[in-house]
C-alpha cells in the first residue's frame, strides 16, 4: 500500500517553510508526497527580507488539484498557506468535491514579518469556508488568539480554553501550539478532541521562533495520518519530529533560522 500525503500550500523560495517543508517532511516520514502550489513567497533581501507575495491564478490551482486527485485516490490532505479569498474559494470547492479521511489545516494567517492587518479578510474566509472541512487544525499562538476570539493567551489554561473555543467552530481535533512565545520552560501544545485535552510538552530549544516549525508539525501529523496513525499518536510523533527539526535548524543570511527535517 502506498501512503499518499497531499498538500495544498504556498512556496517559500528559501526552502524554510511552505510546501518545500511539507514535501521534505513527507519524504522523511516515508509518505508519498505530492502537492498543489497556491502562492509564491519570495523574501526580499534588499528590503529587510520583506515578503513578496504572488498568488497563483485560481484556475491553475484548480488544475493542479484536478491532476493530483485524478491520478491517485487521495484521502489525507494538509492545507497550508492560502493567502487570498479567491484561493480559499477554489480550495473550499476542492475539499467539498470528494470525501477526505483527514483534512489537516495549518491556519496560516500571516507569515513572519507580515502585518497582522493583512490577515483580516483571509481570516474571515478561512473561518467560514475551510475550517468546517478540517478534521485537525493546528493554530499557533497568534492564530489561536484570532480564531478563538480571546484577547490574549498567556498560560496553558488559556491555550486550552482557546483550543476548546476553536473546536466549537467545527474541526474534530484542535492542536494548539504554545511555541516559544507562551511563557515557561517547555514548548507546550494542547490537543483537544472534542471532549478531552491532552497536553504535550517538550523543553524549549532556544527562545526564538524558527521558520518552518509550524509547517513541519502539521505536515508530520498529515504524514502519520496518511500512514494510518490515530490523531493522538500522529500529534505525539509530529511533536518529536518537529523538535528534532528545530534542533537541527539551519542558519543563513536570513534574520531567522529554518527547521531542518530529518528522520532519526
Ligand atoms: O510559516 C508560515 C508560512 C507558510 N507558507 C509559506 C510561507 C510561510 C512563512 O513565510 O512563506 C509559503
Amino acid at each position: 500500500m502506498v501512503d499518499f500525503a497531499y498538500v495544498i500550500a504556498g512556496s517559500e523560495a528559501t526552502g524554510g517553510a511552505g510546501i518545500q517543508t511539507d514535501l521534505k517532511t513527507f519524504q522523511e516520514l516515508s509518505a508519498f508526497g505530492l502537492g498543489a502550489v497556491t502562492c509564491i513567497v519570495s523574501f526580499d533581501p534588499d528590503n529587510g527580507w520583506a515578503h513578496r507575495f504572488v498568488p497563483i491564478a485560481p484556475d491553475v490551482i484548480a488544475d493542479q488539484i484536478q491532476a493530483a486527485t485524478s491520478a491517485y485516490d487521495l484521502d489525507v490532505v494538509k492545507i497550508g498557506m492560502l493567502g487570498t479569498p479567491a484561493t480559499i474559494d477554489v480550495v473550499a470547492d476542492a475539499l467539498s468535491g470528494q470525501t477526505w479521511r483527514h483534512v489537516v489545516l495549518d491556519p496560516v494567517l500571516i507569515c513572519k514579518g507580515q502585518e497582522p492587518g493583512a490577515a483580516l479578510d483571509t481570516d474571515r474566509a478561512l473561518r467560514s469556508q475551510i475550517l468546517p472541512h478540517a478534521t485537525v487544525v493546528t493554530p499557533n499562538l497568534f492564530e489561536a488568539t484570532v480564531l478563538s476570539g480571546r484577547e490574549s493567551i498567556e498560560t496553558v489554561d488559556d491555550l486550552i480554553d482557546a483550543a476548546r473555543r476553536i473546536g466549537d467552530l467545527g474541526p474534530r481535533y484542535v492542536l494548539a501550539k504554545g511555541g516559544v512565545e507562551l511563557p515557561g520552560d517547555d514548548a507546550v501544545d494542547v490537543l483537544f478532541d472534542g471532549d478531552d485535552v491532552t497536553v504535550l510538552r517538550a523543553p524549549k530549544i532556544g527562545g526564538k521562533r524558527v521558520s518552518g516549525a509550524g509547517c513541519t508539525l502539521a505536515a508530520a501529523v498529515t504524514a502519520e495520518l496518511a500512514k494510518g496513525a490515530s490523531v493522538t499518536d500522529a500529534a505525539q510523533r509530529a511533536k518529536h519530529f518537529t523538535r528534532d527539526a528545530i534542533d537541527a535548524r539551519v542558519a543563513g543570511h536570513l534574520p531567522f533560522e529554518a527547521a531542518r527535517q530529518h528522520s532519526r
Side-chain angles (χ1 to χ4, degrees):
M1 198 187 97
V2 180
D3 304 312
F4 291 103
Y6 189 43
V7 57
I8 301 174
S11 163
E12 192 277 88
T14 69
I19 199 162
Q20 288 87 347
T21 297
D22 298 320
L23 293 173
K24 285 185 262 188
T25 300
F26 293 165
Q27 184 67 19
E28 287 297 325
L29 293 172
S30 304
F32 182 101
L34 66 169
V37 179
T38 55
C39 59
I40 298 177
V41 173
S42 313
F43 299 136
D44 183 357
D46 295 328
N47 182 22
W49 301 96
H51 284 62
R52 291 177 292 198
F53 166 82
V54 178
I56 301 293
D59 58 328
V60 179
I61 300 173
D63 288 351
Q64 295 175 76
I65 297 172
Q66 184 197 21
T69 55
S70 304
Y72 301 113
D73 296 324
L74 307 175
D75 67 352
V76 176
V77 61
K78 174 192 155 171
I79 310 295
M81 185 168 173
L82 300 176
T84 73
T87 299
I88 288 174
D89 284 344
V90 174
V91 173
D93 278 352
L95 291 176
S96 4
Q98 67 162 86
T99 52
W100 299 90
R101 187 161 55 86
H102 277 294
V103 175
V104 179
L105 172 62
D106 188 9
V108 180
L109 293 179
I110 49 170
C111 23
K112 280 166 204 64
Q114 268 187 310
E115 282 301 312
L120 282 180
D121 55 353
T122 305
D123 167 44
R124 250 192 307 273
L126 203 68
R127 185 192 293 267
S128 64
Q129 292 172 258
I130 305 292
L131 206 55
H133 293 284
T135 57
V136 185
V137 60
T138 63
N140 64 21
L141 210 59
F142 171 73
E143 293 151 357
T145 308
V146 172
L147 291 173
S148 67
R150 284 188 60 98
E151 238 163 60
S152 66
I153 298 176
E154 280 154 32
T155 65
V156 174
D157 282 344
D158 292 351
L159 191 61
I160 291 172
D161 177 68
R164 287 184 181 277
R165 292 190 195 198
I166 296 167
D168 289 343
L169 303 174
R172 223 181 305 152
Y173 294 86
V174 181
L175 180 57
K177 306 171 288 186
V180 286
E181 279 145 8
L182 191 72
D185 293 335
D186 289 342
V188 178
D189 301 335
V190 305
L191 177 65
F192 175 58
D193 68 5
D195 295 311
D196 298 317
V197 171
T198 309
V199 177
L200 310 174
R201 291 176 176 275
K204 281 181 185 168
I205 301 173
K208 286 206 212 130
R209 297 181 66 185
V210 171
S211 177
C215 303
T216 302
L217 185 88
V221 167
T222 306
E224 292 300 330
L225 293 173
K227 293 190 291 179
S230 69
V231 173
T232 306
D233 287 349
Q236 256 148 8
R237 285 181 211 156
K239 183 152 176 82
H240 286 133
F241 183 84
T242 304
R243 186 164 198 278
D244 288 346
I246 293 171
D247 208 20
R249 65 198 176 281
V250 294
H253 305 295
L254 291 151
F256 42 77
E257 296 177 322
R260 180 178 187 181
Q261 296 74 29
H262 65 108
S263 41
R264 289 209 166 229

